[in-house]
Amino acid sequence: MKFKHYIFTRYNLGLYSGNPYKIEDIDKYMTSRLNLFYTHLAGLEEQTNQNFTSLVCIDPNTPEHYKDEIVEAITSTPCDIKLITELPQDWLRRQPIEAEYLITSRLDNDDYYLPKFIETIQTNFKEERFVYDIVHT
């Protein structure tokens, strides 16, 4: 395999472990985000090129009932989506590298990719060595 393409989505990292967002009503926030997440997932399902893995990153302290809803949403899609409870770069560093190149994209949990987004990125991919480390602030 020449490259592997990962899409990173931070769903609620930090929300239950310090709340850097200063959200006052976390339950209201989580409920509203789930509806937007279904649109996010539809954008992944509609991609003309399905050669990617999506990593949905959630706070490890997310209450079980919210985790269950997120897992249910993810498993209802045919896309290759993994739920992780850490920063995407930490997860990625532990994975065996089975490709010569990695492509990474970021998609917020309330964003939607147009259907040819992945195809466009991969079609325009150029073989070059470039290392970029995502820094979480």
Side-chain angles (χ1 to χ4, degrees):
M1 178 185 310
K2 189 151 208 111
F3 62 80
K4 179 74 176 160
H5 191 165
Y6 290 100
I7 299 171
F8 302 143
T9 300
R10 294 178 180 167
Y11 192 96
N12 68 345
L13 281 178
L15 186 61
Y16 292 96
S17 303
N19 191 2
Y21 315 107
K22 308 295 186 235
I23 295 170
E24 292 182 26
D25 189 340
I26 292 176
D27 286 329
K28 183 177 179 181
Y29 172 83
M30 287 295 291
T31 300
S32 70
R33 299 316 280 184
L34 189 60
N35 291 329
L36 295 169
F37 189 56
Y38 285 111
T39 301
H40 163 95
L41 292 174
L44 295 177
E45 289 177 27
E46 295 168 4
Q47 290 304 301
T48 56
N49 179 336
Q50 289 288 315
N51 182 22
F52 64 87
T53 298
S54 176
L55 300 176
V56 176
C57 315
I58 67 169
D59 191 287
N61 297 314
T62 301
E64 287 302 316
H65 66 281
Y66 290 125
K67 277 186 197 174
D68 292 344
E69 289 182 61
I70 295 166
V71 167
E72 184 178 326
I74 288 171
T75 56
S76 69
T77 179
C79 298
D80 181 12
I81 303 176
K82 297 180 182 346
L83 184 69
I84 63 173
T85 56
E86 61 189 314
L87 295 172
Q89 64 269 26
D90 294 340
W91 181 88
L92 192 57
R93 283 186 187 116
R94 290 193 317 280
Q95 304 311 303
I97 304 297
E98 299 174 5
E100 189 174 350
Y101 297 96
L102 293 178
I103 300 173
T104 60
S105 305
R106 180 170 173 193
L107 181 62
D108 287 341
N109 66 354
D110 60 353
D111 287 347
Y112 173 90
Y113 278 163
L114 292 174
K116 290 192 174 195
F117 181 81
I118 299 298
E119 180 181 333
T120 301
I121 287 176
Q122 292 182 9
T123 299
N124 290 290
F125 169 73
K126 297 196 181 355
E127 296 178 16
E128 58 184 89
R129 296 287 177 199
F130 178 72
V131 177
Y132 177 75
D133 192 11
I134 299 171
V135 178
H136 182 262
T137 55

